[in-house]
Amino acid sequence: MRKGLSNLEGTFKGALKERLPESVYKVWFSEVGVKVKGRRLILEVANEFAKNWIKENYQEVVSAVAQDFGFLEWDFEVVPRGKPEQIVIPYSPLEIIGRKLSPKYTFEDFVLGKCNEMAYKVSVRFVEEPPKGSLVYFYGSVGVGKTHLTQAIANGLYRRGYYRVFYLTAQDFLTYLMKYLKSGSLDVFKNKIQEGCDLLIIDGIHFLSGKEFTQVELAFLLDYLLDYEKNVIFTSLKVPKDLVEFDSTLKSRLNFGLILKLNQPDFETRKKIIRFKAKKLGYNFPYDVVEYLARMVRGDIRQIESVVNGLIARAKFLNEPISILLAKELLSEISEIKEEAQDLEVFVEKVCKFFGIERTDLFSNSRKKKLTLARQALMYLLKRHSQRSIKNLAELFKKEHSTIIYNLKCVEKRLLEDRAFRFQIELLKREILEELSGTDVETSSVEEGSGCESFS
């Protein structure tokens, strides 16, 4: 039975909206008309281009919703409308196509650490001495400061009188590209960017995965901007070579830029962030509270800030001073992660950093020499310094019991034969235990024949 025929257009389009990304619905379906002819559902579109685009890209979704409403067939009817009003991309960098740059994203409010030092220095230099014809590509996981740095650049340039800056998210870029394309004015959109800005910033370019047409257009736009000595900044979750479903031409161009990674904050940087965020709210956290939070809260900057805000709010509500007891109570309530799991993250983080590898690679099945050595080092350190059993390690690495024993024996043998490897393991051990304890650990080299167990 057909549903809601009295208000078919609203209910049908509402069902489409639930199944489609907001940007797609807004561009292609928000102005579509819906009516019934006999036993067929008819979608009214503005032109042949819109008809063909929807049919080629969203036929399965429309068919599924049509069946939900009891229609076995559906088709299009082109109902020409007046020429759409052209979109105006504002020239002020404070405008982000309906949004504004955040005034809190400045270099003064960016907490500098080893995890982001190079990206920060490049960003500051970018504002102090704007280059010509350069491409900068920031990448890293969520919440490590990519958006903060790019908006700090835009804010910094604006304060220095550089007003020809366009800041868009990748979703903004896609939405506006499609709107201009739909209205038959794609060249107008491209000309506005080509002629209207000296710096184009696109935040979250990984969002364009699978958007082949948009990627090709972006590649052409990038060529133009760089040829005319304009600057471009991209941010992404991944390094260009790891972007999936991306046009090879665009990936090639991205690889020629200055590629800068922002890592998750290390222990010392987390302490700086906690102190900085607390001070901005008028609090000086006790030393033990800072150390405890920095060790336990190992996520991104947003998670750290959320914990700081939560602790202050809790202290105010209970009318109590900030204390280690209050911090422990807060974390026990808002986090399901046990201290044992947090300690594991210390081992993993330090090993990954020491060997220059990603966490996913560490726990992968790759047999590359570097990854195998890092994996064996982690197994050995966990067995020696976290009291984990062979069974625990087998579960963690998803390996057979015998495989774990074999790897541990390989480390044991190498420690006896390779002085450089013993030194590496000692350095790693020291870094891990210092962070776990919050105090300096006295160096004691691994003597030949000592510190090694017989694993069986």
Side-chain angles (χ1 to χ4, degrees):
M1 180 177 179
R2 298 178 186 175
K3 303 176 183 178
L5 287 176
S6 60
N7 187 27
L8 178 63
E9 182 170 322
T11 53
F12 185 84
K13 289 169 69 174
L16 281 175
K17 191 173 184 179
E18 290 179 0
R19 298 192 184 202
L20 293 167
E22 183 179 353
S23 59
V24 170
Y25 176 82
K26 190 175 180 181
V27 172
W28 297 108
F29 293 95
S30 60
E31 298 178 8
V32 166
V34 180
K35 65 181 183 180
V36 178
K37 280 189 177 180
R39 300 181 62 84
R40 300 170 68 217
L41 179 72
I42 305 296
L43 299 185
E44 295 179 333
V45 294
N47 50 48
E48 286 290 330
F49 178 81
K51 169 185 171 181
N52 293 334
W53 186 273
I54 292 174
K55 195 169 185 178
E56 290 175 9
N57 294 278
Y58 307 110
Q59 181 163 338
E60 290 185 8
V61 176
V62 176
S63 295
V65 175
Q67 288 181 16
D68 287 346
F69 278 72
F71 294 98
L72 298 179
E73 294 182 13
W74 63 279
D75 204 348
F76 293 96
E77 185 173 303
V78 177
V79 181
R81 300 191 179 104
K83 188 174 181 180
E85 183 179 339
Q86 293 299 318
I87 303 160
V88 178
I89 298 180
Y91 286 88
S92 167
L94 294 182
E95 302 286 339
I96 314 178
I97 305 185
R99 296 177 233 168
K100 291 182 180 293
L101 291 172
S102 172
K104 72 178 183 179
Y105 289 142
T106 64
F107 293 126
E108 293 76 18
D109 279 348
F110 189 85
V111 180
L112 180 62
K114 290 182 180 179
C115 57
N116 54 37
E117 186 175 17
M118 181 58 71
Y120 174 82
K121 288 181 177 179
V122 169
S123 299
V124 172
R125 184 69 177 270
F126 200 103
V127 173
E128 293 176 346
E129 299 179 27
K132 291 185 178 180
S134 69
L135 168 62
V136 180
Y137 186 102
F138 295 109
Y139 79 101
S141 58
V142 174
V144 293
K146 302 184 300 295
T147 297
H148 190 138
L149 278 185
T150 51
Q151 290 206 28
I153 290 171
N155 279 321
L157 287 172
Y158 180 74
R159 286 199 298 269
R160 295 193 62 204
Y162 292 84
Y163 299 113
R164 291 162 57 85
V165 178
F166 282 177
Y167 183 106
L168 303 89
T169 65
Q171 187 167 356
D172 289 334
F173 183 83
L174 173 64
T175 300
Y176 278 80
L177 183 73
M178 290 298 104
K179 283 203 174 218
Y180 273 89
L181 182 63
K182 185 178 176 182
S183 66
S185 306
L186 183 59
D187 287 342
V188 175
F189 173 76
K190 292 190 289 188
N191 287 337
K192 283 181 180 292
I193 296 179
Q194 290 170 351
E195 307 302 329
C197 77
D198 294 322
L199 170 61
L200 172 66
I201 303 175
I202 298 184
D203 197 359
I205 193 175
H206 55 275
F207 174 81
L208 300 181
S209 174
K211 312 293 192 300
E212 185 177 353
F213 177 81
T214 303
Q215 292 170 25
V216 171
E217 289 299 325
L218 181 57
F220 287 135
L221 182 60
L222 181 58
D223 281 345
Y224 178 93
L225 294 174
L226 296 180
D227 285 346
Y228 281 84
E229 296 189 326
K230 297 170 184 282
N231 297 312
V232 181
I233 297 176
F234 292 121
T235 74
S236 175
L237 293 178
K238 298 180 178 181
V239 69
K241 68 180 181 64
D242 291 338
L243 291 171
V244 295
E245 294 187 70
F246 253 71
D247 176 69
S248 58
T249 302
L250 179 57
K251 286 176 72 170
S252 175
R253 284 158 174 72
L254 296 177
N255 274 313
F256 276 105
L258 176 59
I259 300 174
L260 299 164
K261 183 178 182 181
L262 285 86
N263 295 296
Q264 284 206 332
D266 53 82
F267 183 60
E268 291 301 321
T269 306
R270 292 198 296 272
K271 290 196 290 186
K272 286 183 181 180
I273 294 170
I274 292 165
R275 293 192 187 101
F276 180 83
K277 299 296 183 183
K279 191 172 183 179
K280 287 204 71 173
L281 295 173
Y283 284 78
N284 286 311
F285 282 6
Y287 173 84
D288 60 343
V289 172
V290 174
E291 293 285 319
Y292 175 74
L293 292 179
R295 185 165 68 87
M296 294 299 294
V297 185
R298 309 184 58 81
D300 57 50
I301 297 171
R302 295 187 191 119
Q303 290 178 310
I304 297 170
E305 185 172 18
S306 175
V307 169
V308 170
N309 292 339
L311 183 56
I312 290 173
R314 190 182 189 90
K316 284 182 177 179
F317 180 76
L318 298 175
N319 196 26
E320 293 182 12
I322 301 293
S323 66
I324 189 71
L325 178 61
L326 210 60
K328 287 183 175 181
E329 288 177 354
L330 173 68
L331 292 190
S332 69
E333 292 179 10
I334 68 173
S335 176
E336 296 180 357
I337 302 175
K338 297 180 180 179
E339 191 159 346
E340 180 183 348
Q342 291 287 3
D343 288 350
L344 171 62
E345 288 303 309
V346 175
F347 283 84
V348 173
E349 180 185 276
K350 291 297 182 183
V351 169
C352 286
K353 184 178 179 182
F354 189 89
F355 286 95
I357 61 175
E358 298 291 337
R359 180 192 175 100
T360 51
D361 293 328
L362 182 65
F363 289 97
S364 71
N365 291 320
S366 172
R367 295 185 180 182
K368 290 181 180 179
K369 185 176 179 180
K370 184 179 182 179
L371 296 179
T372 299
L373 184 60
R375 214 171 282 134
Q376 290 176 341
L378 178 58
M379 290 178 188
Y380 175 81
L381 290 166
L382 285 171
K383 183 69 175 69
R384 291 279 296 169
H385 301 289
S386 72
Q387 287 76 52
R388 279 175 168 77
S389 66
I390 300 294
K391 181 181 179 182
N392 293 150
L393 294 177
E395 292 173 352
L396 176 63
F397 288 92
K398 296 181 173 58
K399 305 288 184 183
E400 294 294 329
H401 187 278
S402 58
T403 304
I404 299 297
I405 293 175
Y406 169 78
N407 280 282
L408 290 172
K409 286 185 175 180
C410 286
V411 177
E412 182 183 77
K413 184 174 184 293
R414 190 162 183 171
L415 284 170
L416 291 170
E417 299 173 351
D418 188 338
R419 182 183 291 265
F421 182 65
R422 290 202 305 275
F423 183 66
Q424 288 180 322
I425 293 296
E426 180 62 29
L427 282 178
L428 262 173
K429 183 195 81 171
R430 181 181 179 184
E431 288 185 8
I432 291 168
L433 297 184
E434 278 183 0
E435 182 156 338
L436 290 175
S437 65
T439 59
D440 290 339
V441 175
E442 186 177 340
T443 304
S444 59
S445 60
V446 180
E447 299 294 339
E448 291 188 26
S450 66
C452 302
E453 297 178 4
S454 178
F455 299 109
S456 58

